[in-house]
Structure formats: structure tokens, C-alpha cells
Amino acid sequence: MADIPDGRVVAGRQLQVETHGLDVIKDAERKGSPRTLFWPWFGANVSVLGLSYGAFALGFGISFWQALIAGVIGIVFSFLLCGFVAVAGKRGSAPTMVLSRAAYGVRGNRLPSVISWVLTVGWETVLCALATMATATVFDRLGWGGGTETKVVALVLVGALTVVGGVMGFDLIMRLQTVITVVTGVLTVVYIGLVADQIHWSTVSALPAGSAQEFIGALVFMMTGFGLGWVNAAADYSRYLPRSSSSRGVIGWTTFGASVAPLLLLVFGLLLAGSSTKLNTAIAADPIGALTIILPTWFLVPFAVVAVLGLVGGAVLDIYSSGLALLSAGIRIPRYVAAFVDGVLMIAGSIYIVFFADDFLGQFMGFLTTLGVPIAAWCGIMLADLALRRRDYDEGDLYRPTGRYGDVPLTPLLLTLAATALGWGLVTNSAASWLTWQGYLLEPFGLGGKSGAWAYANLGVLAALALGFLGTLALTRTRVRSQEAQAPSPADEGAAV
């Protein structure tokens, strides 16, 4: 049974393990339209974790309105970056971390591939752990036991759902995300209706305003927590679209699908967290489970469903892309084996978070900020390289070290290292003891050092993004023009390498 024109899958079509890895998607297999991108992006970001970001934002010491503005700008702008990267998938038919070989060279690209792999494995681990903790909290409130046994069972079930989705691949993910979108969307609306009476606008509106530095810190945190956590996977789904698809449509549907749920959830999360100091504090320890404190008992099971499905939706996309990133880093195994390996690491990391970690929020913020810097540098370089190109990628040369894109060009690698060094020197995170070495440039740059007003503004993420983008525009224009002046290479020859 075949796909119908708009990309939806006809009921009854047999699911199979996707055999595509880093190879180019042939024109005959490309299907759908830009609007089909709405489903995977909405399903991956409709998680009730978005409510908890309201507490995270207010934790920077800013007012409701400051947090709202920071959230709107951070979410929309960061997902807009995803939309731009997604255009590369339509133009190149390969995974995101293969397309960036055009900028980094075939083997030079292994550096950002490793960073991308660590980021996506980290994100899927965080989401799996949150789903496990939320399930345990719900069971504890119901009196069904929320101890070690419950957490083990929940971890096994969540891990199995995520790994199966990642191993099966694109077709199952698209079907799964459609179901998750509908179920979580409906149940989230019900949740909002049930707890709306917990909002006290007089308390929320009385929150004092914070400084410009605190506002910027919240803005950057929103960027790293949302779109910058996805840019390295943004072309993994658009590569299945026909080449004739509208670039504006790809950008628009990716940005809209990914942003709309987080924006709505953020607003309500800010109202809830701003109304209750107790809830605000509890979210730091258990970002999802804490949201059950204000729920009636009869809705706890549906809440567990919406929480787990929403988190699994994000984790499935992460594990699919982490497998592709592992392959692009040079590991020679089938894609579904790579996804399975990442699933094992995800479960191991979740065990640590659920059973041994004491401070979730501190470690989480440290993880986002630290990896957000090199990913921002990569994103800037990738977007500038894409903007400089007037033609589609030469797909054969993406796989050939002797081709037009080169093997290990020094400029993008040195630019990435410089942007990362600059970025890490301008960020701090005192809640994570393993990151105390960061912020080494705050004092030399006259920003007050690690205890000054700029210490938590996380300027390093913005600096890395800007340096990567502007440096690539300035230094690689001639290189790109030279590449595009060459005659097309034999497509099948490159794909076999």
C-alpha cells in the first residue's frame, strides 16, 4: 500500500525497519509536502515539560512579562534556525550531519558529529528520566507505590517505546508522532482547564522585574532548551520531501510546528509557577511530577499518559538522529544498530538521573549551556555555508574525501574551536560543580568575573553563534564559489564510499 500525495500513510501499510542510514534518499522515495513536517515537530515539542520552563525562566529572577518576552523570542528564533537548517535537507537529501560535510569536509565533519551525538543522547536521556520520575510520582499519589520497583518498570517501558521507535525509523516515527500530537494535545488542554483556578494574577503581576543581564540569561536558556537542542537534527526529516518543495514552506512549517505548543505551554507555566512558590520550588527537583501537586486524583492517570507520550515523542526523534550522528562520526554499523546502541546509553544515563542524581535542574542547565555553545558555533557555520550556496549540494561529493568539499579543511574546524573557547569563557553554572572552570573570560572582558552581573547571562551561546556565522561568511565565500564552479560528480560513485 503506497503513500497518498500529501505524505500521510495509508492505513494498513506494513511497517518495516528503515534501512536508510547516511545514504541519499532517491527521488522516487521522496514524498509529502512541507506541511507534513508539522506532525513530527509538534509531537516532539508538545510535552508538558514546556509548563516547567515557566518555573525555569522565573528562576532567573525576572518578572512575568520579562519571562514571557524572553520565552517568545528564544523559542521562535531558535526554531526558526531549525527551519533554515531543514532547507538543507530538501536541497541535499541526506541527514543533517552529512550535509554539514559541505562546510566541514568529509572527515573534518566528525568533530561536530561527535558533539551532535553527545547532545542528542543527552537529550533523550533527560526525557526518558523525566518520564520515569513523572510516572513514579503519579503512582505514589495514587497509593500504588512510587518506589524503586515502579521506577524500574516505568524506565523499562519508556525506554522500550523510545528504542523501538528509533530502531524502526522514519515511517513509524511519522505515524507515532501523529498519534502523540492528537492524544497529548487533547489531554494537555484538559490539564490546563483543571488547574486554571490555581492561577492568581495578583501574585504573578507582583513579581519584581530583573536586570537586563538576568533577562538575557533567561532568553539564552530558552534558546538552548528548545530550538538549539534540535538544529543538529533539523534536516533529518525534510530530506524525505521532494526537491520541488517550497523552501519557505519548509521553514514555516518547521518553525510553526515546533513553536506553537511550547509557546502556549510556557505562558500557562509562567502563570502557574508565578502563582505558587511551593510549585516553583518543586519543579526544580521533579519538573514533570511536580505538576501533579495541583491535580485532582481522578486525572492523575491521564496526566501520566500525556506526560510519558509527550516526552517519548521528543526522545524518539532524538534517538533517531543520534543514531545518524553516530554513523556520521565514522562508526560503521547499520542505522538501526546505532539507534539501539544509543538506546542502551540512554537507559544507563536515565538510571543515574533517576536513582543517583541529587540536583536535576542544576545538572540540566549545565548540560544545556555547555553543549549549547559548540552547537551554536556549528549552527552559525552551517547556516552561513547554506546561505552562501546558490546550488543544491553535490550529493556524490558529500561522501568522497577527494571531492569538492574536501577532507579536513582547517578554517571551519578552527572557527568552531575558537567560537567554543570564546563561548565557554562567557558562560557559568555554579549549580554544576563539574563546570566551575567556565567563565574564564568574564573578568578579562570587564564583565565582573564569575560573580558579577553578567555571570549568568550566558552570553557565550550568542557569541559562539555570531562568530560561527560571521566568520564563515567572511572566510569561506571564495571556497564555496570554487566548489560550485565544478562540474557535477557521479552521484552513485560518492554514495558508495
Side-chain angles (χ1 to χ4, degrees):
M1 185 101 38
D3 292 331
I4 55 180
D6 68 356
R8 289 179 287 120
V9 181
V10 175
R13 176 179 172 180
Q14 184 177 1
L15 284 172
Q16 310 177 48
V17 174
E18 181 188 356
T19 56
H20 287 300
L22 299 185
D23 53 312
V24 168
I25 305 300
K26 302 300 182 184
D27 287 343
E29 299 179 62
R30 302 179 73 158
K31 56 196 177 184
S33 63
R35 68 176 180 272
T36 61
L37 294 173
F38 173 86
W39 299 106
W41 286 109
F42 186 90
N45 291 283
V46 72
S47 166
V48 290
L49 178 61
L51 293 169
S52 299
Y53 271 88
F56 298 160
L58 293 178
F60 282 86
I62 55 180
S63 69
F64 168 82
W65 292 110
Q66 286 178 311
L68 180 61
I69 295 172
V72 170
I73 296 175
I75 291 171
V76 174
F77 176 70
S78 62
F79 280 125
L80 184 62
L81 299 180
C82 290
F84 288 132
V85 173
V87 172
K90 184 205 74 162
R91 294 176 61 180
S93 316
T96 313
M97 298 313 298
V98 169
L99 297 170
S100 73
R101 290 175 178 176
Y104 281 88
V106 174
R107 286 191 288 185
N109 190 64
R110 290 180 180 178
L111 172 63
S113 293
V114 169
I115 297 171
S116 173
W117 176 72
V118 173
L119 179 65
T120 46
V121 170
W123 260 113
E124 68 204 39
T125 300
V126 166
L127 296 175
C128 181
L130 286 175
T132 301
M133 292 190 293
T135 303
T137 301
V138 168
F139 273 56
D140 182 60
R141 276 207 59 194
L142 290 170
W144 297 348
T148 301
E149 295 82 1
T150 301
K151 292 178 181 177
V152 169
V153 173
L155 181 57
V156 170
L157 292 176
V158 171
L161 278 173
T162 303
V163 172
V164 168
V167 168
M168 290 296 292
F170 180 80
D171 279 343
L172 178 59
I173 288 174
M174 293 298 283
R175 295 189 190 192
L176 184 63
Q177 296 298 74
T178 303
V179 174
I180 288 175
T181 295
V182 174
V183 175
T184 54
V186 171
L187 292 179
T188 300
V189 170
V190 175
Y191 174 89
I192 291 174
L194 289 173
V195 301
D197 61 346
Q198 300 292 323
I199 295 174
H200 306 290
W201 176 245
S202 59
T203 304
V204 175
S205 60
L207 292 172
S211 64
Q213 295 91 334
E214 291 167 332
F215 171 82
I216 294 173
L219 169 64
V220 174
F221 179 75
M222 288 295 173
M223 289 177 57
T224 55
F226 287 99
L228 278 180
W230 288 109
V231 287
N232 53 312
D236 292 351
Y237 304 94
S238 56
R239 66 183 175 132
Y240 283 89
L241 293 176
R243 298 178 193 277
S244 59
S245 299
S246 164
S247 294
R248 290 185 178 181
V250 170
I251 296 170
W253 282 106
T254 298
T255 306
F256 175 68
S259 298
V260 61
L263 287 173
L264 295 174
L265 292 169
L266 173 68
V267 172
F268 200 74
L270 287 170
L271 293 171
L272 283 176
S275 299
S276 171
T277 303
K278 178 182 177 182
L279 177 63
N280 202 345
T281 303
I283 286 175
D286 186 357
I288 303 296
L291 297 173
T292 66
I293 296 174
I294 52 179
L295 273 178
T297 303
W298 67 267
F299 192 70
L300 289 176
V301 171
F303 176 83
V305 172
V306 69
V308 169
L309 283 180
L311 295 168
V312 166
V316 166
L317 261 65
D318 275 319
I319 198 171
Y320 179 78
S321 294
S322 70
L324 294 174
L326 184 61
L327 298 181
S328 63
I331 304 300
R332 298 186 176 221
I333 54 178
R335 182 207 60 80
Y336 53 86
V337 175
F340 181 79
V341 170
D342 290 349
V344 173
L345 294 175
M346 173 192 73
I347 293 174
S350 299
I351 290 173
Y352 170 75
I353 294 175
V354 172
F355 297 102
F356 301 103
D358 296 324
D359 175 21
F360 173 82
L361 182 57
Q363 307 302 322
F364 178 56
M365 294 180 69
F367 163 75
L368 288 182
T369 304
T370 299
L371 288 183
V373 168
I375 284 296
W378 171 87
C379 182
I381 292 171
M382 178 71 177
L383 290 176
D385 181 80
L386 180 63
L388 288 172
R389 298 189 182 278
R390 298 294 178 264
R391 299 181 179 178
D392 288 349
Y393 295 99
D394 186 291
E395 294 166 351
D397 279 352
L398 287 172
Y399 300 86
R400 187 186 301 108
T402 57
R404 74 191 65 207
Y405 301 123
D407 191 13
V408 188
L410 291 180
T411 299
L413 293 172
L414 293 176
L415 196 55
T416 300
L417 294 176
T420 300
L422 172 65
W424 280 344
L426 296 175
V427 299
T428 60
N429 194 312
S430 59
S433 59
W434 53 286
L435 297 175
T436 54
W437 54 272
Q438 293 178 348
Y440 46 80
L441 293 177
L442 290 169
E443 186 70 39
F445 283 13
L447 297 174
K450 296 182 181 181
S451 58
W454 289 98
Y456 300 102
N458 292 326
L459 291 176
V461 175
L462 299 177
L465 178 65
L467 180 58
F469 185 80
L470 297 176
T472 301
L473 287 181
L475 300 175
T476 67
R477 187 181 300 273
T478 301
R479 174 173 175 260
V480 172
R481 292 291 171 263
S482 174
Q483 292 172 354
E484 296 198 325
Q486 299 180 36
S489 66
D492 57 341
E493 180 183 342
V497 176

